[in-house]
Amino acid sequence: MRTKHFVLVLCCIAASTLLFIIFGTSESNDSFKNIVSHTHQQINKFQENLRVSEEKKLEIDEKYLSILGFTSYLPNNTKKNVDETVYFKYDAHNTNEKTQTYMGHSMKMNNMQYLHYHIQNVDNAQSTQSQVHATSAHVFNGTKVNFTIVTYVQEGQAPSAILLSQNIALKFPNEYLIIYDLGLSEEDLKALSAYCNNSRCLVISYDLSIFPSHVTDQRMHAYRSIVIKDALMRSKSILFAENYIRIRGTNRDLNELRKKLHAVGVLGWNTPTAVSTRTHPKMFDYFQTDADDYFFLKMVDLDTVLFEDTDFVAEKILLPWIKCALTLECLDPIGANWAGCKYNKKPQYRYSGCHSYDTSAFNIVLGLTWHLDDTKYSLPSEKYNIFYKETLEQATKILENRRRNNSEASEHPFTED
């Protein structure tokens, strides 16, 4: 339609010019020149507007930047309006005990008490304040724990989260575990809380309704970037894992990964699949890059990824990733689909016909940041053996077997093993 309009304008200009040449007089030359000059200016303006309208841009509402702690990227007048009702202040000279200020009340607490208190009261603030206060209550301004394992759970997934919490408690009893509740039923939340009920295992009920509606779509997984960013406001570094992941490694394995993480800021495991194979070509436009550049870049899976909270990671990785996740046209380009992959296409780096949504956006950002060198931020897939997967069906059967085996000996629905 725009092209037709442009052609029509050109035809009108040509006809007008011809008429002036045929019927014009010398006295009207100056007027004619002014008309032609003005017309050329209008054409140039039209072309510029057309070019700008066709550019793909990643721009999101400033309120989302505030909610997710990107306050340094807000205009100065907006920063002053960020709600500071929930604010945490600590004595920097006392590393064992912290002076906690919450809505005017001060108290001293150790690290474990602090983390539990912080999350508990942020959630309380969300439920009692107005929506403006509730959303900004996600922002965290206090001293963080060093390391946390992070996952999320949705409706019907409680068995997987329960077994993950047991796995972490058994293998890494000294590490924190945060489970983000993204829509559990009251019954499932109660069952999960029965296992995750100590100062090192916490369940946070996170309200996604404050974000665009597509964020809750399980195909796109836009909420993963939000969960990761929120967790990094509570911890200096995290291991993000899907709730179906189990860890068979040791503390030594985990410490080695954390050392490697410290050198780069983001660390994952690559797959044999090229980023271009699982990414709709239109997504690349939003990052001002070409799909051709990603033909030989291995895709990093988001089942397990380590992140460190640094300015570099926030600006170069999380911010553009979240901007795409919150922009429906970027995350879900027209024609994108999550199923129907055809890997038999030659060459194999061609688009397979299925799109990986947030994982695709994440990998484009990683490629741009490290100039298409996946060795900078990922490990080979064969070194993934410290993790394994347990399906929801398997987890459900395990809990059912435990319930049946212990029903005669105990009135509790679950055991503590």
Side-chain angles (χ1 to χ4, degrees), residues 59-338:
E59 296 178 352
I60 62 173
D61 196 309
E62 291 175 356
K63 69 180 180 181
Y64 301 132
L65 296 178
S66 298
I67 292 168
L68 294 169
F70 290 111
T71 53
S72 60
Y73 302 97
L74 294 171
N76 291 330
N77 61 334
T78 308
K79 292 179 186 178
K80 296 177 182 179
N81 295 327
V82 175
D83 180 54
E84 296 181 348
T85 304
V86 180
Y87 180 72
F88 299 87
K89 185 177 181 180
Y90 300 101
D91 181 0
H93 300 289
N94 190 340
T95 57
N96 295 321
E97 287 189 324
K98 299 174 174 49
T99 302
Q100 172 74 55
T101 301
Y102 179 79
M103 292 186 176
H105 301 283
S106 297
M107 61 186 72
K108 290 188 180 294
M109 56 188 69
N110 58 35
N111 278 323
M112 290 186 293
Q113 292 172 326
Y114 138 71
L115 185 61
H116 178 73
Y117 180 85
H118 160 66
I119 295 173
Q120 180 186 39
N121 283 288
V122 166
D123 291 339
N124 288 342
Q126 290 175 317
S127 63
T128 57
Q129 296 173 338
S130 66
Q131 183 168 347
V132 175
H133 288 175
T135 56
S136 59
H138 286 296
V139 180
F140 171 62
N141 299 309
T143 301
K144 308 176 181 183
V145 296
N146 287 325
F147 180 72
T148 306
I149 299 170
V150 176
T151 191
Y152 68 91
V153 59
Q154 295 174 300
E155 184 178 2
Q157 298 176 353
S160 287
I162 289 172
L163 291 187
L164 175 60
S165 68
Q166 289 187 325
N167 173 241
I168 300 303
L170 178 65
K171 301 291 294 186
F172 308 102
N174 295 321
E175 303 295 350
Y176 290 107
L177 171 65
I178 296 180
I179 303 175
Y180 283 82
D181 163 26
L182 302 184
L184 287 178
S185 65
E186 185 176 346
E187 181 181 357
D188 283 346
L189 179 58
K190 185 177 180 181
L192 176 59
S193 299
Y195 284 87
C196 191
N197 63 352
N198 59 70
S199 60
R200 291 193 176 273
C201 182
L202 301 163
V203 179
I204 301 176
S205 294
Y206 198 96
D207 183 14
L208 291 175
S209 66
I210 57 181
F211 297 101
S213 59
H214 73 270
V215 169
T216 59
D217 192 323
Q218 294 189 21
R219 294 178 305 120
M220 304 182 198
H221 291 92
Y223 42 76
R224 285 197 288 207
S225 59
I226 294 172
V227 164
I228 288 168
K229 181 61 175 73
D230 186 84
L232 286 171
M233 290 192 284
R234 307 171 191 270
S235 182
K236 295 177 182 178
S237 61
I238 66 170
L239 166 62
F240 170 79
E242 290 284 347
N243 59 51
Y244 50 75
I245 294 294
R246 307 291 179 260
I247 306 178
R248 63 162 61 96
T250 64
N251 278 303
R252 181 179 178 180
D253 295 323
L254 201 56
N255 289 334
E256 288 181 358
L257 290 175
R258 290 174 62 182
K259 288 179 182 178
K260 293 178 180 178
L261 170 68
H262 187 65
V264 290
V266 177
L267 184 64
W269 285 262
N270 57 49
T271 66
T273 306
V275 174
S276 56
T277 304
R278 291 296 305 269
T279 304
H280 194 283
K282 292 181 181 178
M283 175 178 273
F284 293 98
D285 295 340
Y286 282 88
F287 295 95
Q288 310 300 314
T289 188
D290 297 321
D292 299 7
D293 295 335
Y294 290 79
F295 283 168
F296 304 104
L297 185 69
K298 295 180 179 179
M299 177 169 273
V300 169
D301 203 328
L302 269 171
D303 281 348
T304 49
V305 184
L306 291 104
F307 294 85
E308 189 169 56
D309 180 41
T310 65
D311 292 338
F312 172 80
V313 171
E315 179 181 355
K316 300 297 184 181
I317 308 297
L318 296 176
L319 183 57
W321 183 27
I322 289 174
K323 281 185 174 182
C324 181
L326 296 183
T327 305
L328 180 58
E329 295 79 8
C330 174
L331 191 65
D332 185 21
I334 296 175
N337 194 7
W338 65 276

Side-chain angles (χ1 to χ4, degrees), residues 399-416:
L399 288 181
E400 286 293 336
N401 289 336
R402 291 179 183 177
R403 183 184 291 112
R404 286 198 300 268
N405 293 338
N406 291 276
S407 59
E408 296 180 0
S410 172
E411 61 183 14
H412 298 290
F414 300 108
T415 64
E416 294 295 333

